Amino acid sequence: MNEKIRLVLNKIKDKGFEVYLVGGFVRDYFLGRETYDVDIATNALPKDIIEIFNLNTSTEDNYGSITFKDKTYSYEITTYRKDLSYEARKPQIEFVDDIKVDVLRRDFTINSLYMDADGNIIDELNGIEDLNNKIVRCIGNINDKMVEDPLRILRTIRFATLLDFKIEENLYFFIKQNKELISTLSYTRKKEELDKIFKSKNVSKGIETIKSLGIEKYLDIRIDDVIPCSNYLGIWAQIEVSDKYPFSNQELDTIGAIKNVLKYGIIDNIVLYQYGLFVSVIAGEILGYQKSYISDIYKDMPIYNSKDIAINGDDIMQILNIEPSEKISKILEDIELNILHNNIKNEYEELKGYIIKNWK
């Protein structure tokens, strides 16, 4: 355990409170996965945490959680609590002083482990057994858990994908039979979970699980043949998506560019010049190109933008003794294309001769 994290735990413990690392951090620690999001559970109240760490924050509408960061980690410190009910996916809570009550509100057994500052683990619900057996299992009544917060359906798929775990049989069957619950989720929430699935190195399993559960309709997407790639936007570019999904303008531009390159079908100077190295590498991976091959092409390109062309509009007007007109743009486009196809060298005299011969 990192000393920074131990120091945070001990600051709370030294004030006489119980305190444990919990959830995803303990799960990933057990699995040897590096993580920088630190979830902490304690019987200290939010006002106590604010006082202990001298924080300038409010306790309103935080569901018992106080968050802060250092240069390495993001901390979320939450008071033991009991979820009384859910209203529009928001829990109505009651603070408690018993870890055995707190653990029951969590979603999956693999996220139910608590660990103290000395590395001792409390495992109330056989989470270690499920981690060893690579199973995503729901805590408590599956119907209650999934209905009160349908986002847990997508979290089930996300954990199965990221960790390469199996979904416990009863949970899998419930999702398959109650997949319409996903329709109640906002497109923002759907995208957040799908982004995490599509960013996984195990994205093929995520896509296979989505299709086998038959939830595409309720996600408002359509997946046919998808070739896995290392960038999540490359996955989005290969599926049909509702325009209700809240992509940023940059994401939309990148997805559109990847689609154009995939339609073009090859990676060459034209693609690299028009769409750049980033998009070309993503599309190239889908098309079966090695990144090193694309990088070599990019390195040897004769020009990278129009400013690199060794002749300009004023030169063309002087060479042809003409006034400004659309003809100048057409000539520059012709030159640009021929340079990229390596038909002519990007040298002033050669370009001048080409213009005289072809545009006089």
Side-chain angles (χ1 to χ4, degrees), residues 240-259:
E240 291 184 29
V241 185
S242 167
D243 59 11
K244 295 178 182 177
Y245 273 87
F247 293 101
S248 68
N249 289 335
Q250 184 175 5
E251 286 177 326
L252 288 173
D253 289 345
T254 302
I255 290 169
I258 294 169
K259 287 183 175 181

Side-chain angles (χ1 to χ4, degrees), residues 178-191:
N178 297 274
K179 50 201 170 192
E180 70 278 357
L181 288 171
I182 295 171
S183 298
T184 66
L185 298 174
S186 71
Y187 283 87
T188 296
R189 291 299 187 188
K190 291 176 187 176
K191 182 178 182 298

Side-chain angles (χ1 to χ4, degrees), residues 107-289:
D107 49 10
F108 307 109
T109 57
I110 59 174
N111 295 333
S112 71
L113 302 176
Y114 293 70
M115 184 169 70
D116 67 19
D118 297 319
N120 301 308
I121 291 181
I122 296 176
D123 181 11
E124 293 284 340
L125 302 173
N126 297 319
I128 289 177
E129 181 179 350
D130 283 341
L131 282 171
N132 286 329
N133 291 328
K134 298 186 174 183
I135 292 175
V136 180
R137 187 190 309 275
C138 186
I139 294 172
N141 183 284
I142 296 173
N143 183 79
D144 291 346
K145 287 284 185 178
M146 297 295 142
V147 170
E148 69 186 13
D149 187 359
L151 187 65
R152 288 171 175 154
I153 293 175
L154 297 186
R155 283 170 58 84
T156 300
I157 300 168
R158 191 228 303 175
F159 287 128
T161 300
L162 268 60
L163 303 175
D164 198 17
F165 281 17
K166 292 188 299 183
I167 299 172
E168 186 268 330
E169 185 178 350
N170 292 323
L171 178 55
Y172 184 93
F173 181 77
F174 176 88
I175 294 172
K176 198 171 180 67
Q177 295 300 310
N178 297 274
K179 50 201 170 192
E180 70 278 357
L181 288 171
I182 295 171
S183 298
T184 66
L185 298 174
S186 71
Y187 283 87
T188 296
R189 291 299 187 188
K190 291 176 187 176
K191 182 178 182 298
E192 286 172 352
E193 290 300 319
L194 288 174
D195 279 349
K196 292 171 184 176
I197 292 168
F198 293 166
K199 288 176 181 178
S200 170
K201 293 179 181 178
N202 200 29
V203 62
S204 293
K205 177 168 184 171
I207 291 171
E208 178 186 335
T209 304
I210 288 170
K211 295 181 75 170
S212 68
L213 286 168
I215 63 174
E216 293 169 82
K217 173 183 175 182
Y218 303 100
L219 289 169
D220 216 352
I221 62 175
R222 179 177 173 180
I223 302 173
D224 291 321
D225 295 326
V226 172
I227 298 173
C229 62
S230 55
N231 188 286
Y232 76 111
L233 295 177
I235 304 297
W236 281 114
Q238 296 180 75
I239 65 180
E240 291 184 29
V241 185
S242 167
D243 59 11
K244 295 178 182 177
Y245 273 87
F247 293 101
S248 68
N249 289 335
Q250 184 175 5
E251 286 177 326
L252 288 173
D253 289 345
T254 302
I255 290 169
I258 294 169
K259 287 183 175 181
N260 288 339
V261 177
L262 293 179
K263 190 178 295 185
Y264 185 69
I266 61 172
I267 305 297
D268 59 12
N269 282 353
I270 304 297
V271 165
L272 282 159
Y273 183 82
Q274 186 171 353
Y275 297 107
L277 186 59
F278 177 67
V279 166
S280 298
V281 166
I282 298 171
E285 185 179 358
I286 298 167
L287 291 170
Y289 288 85

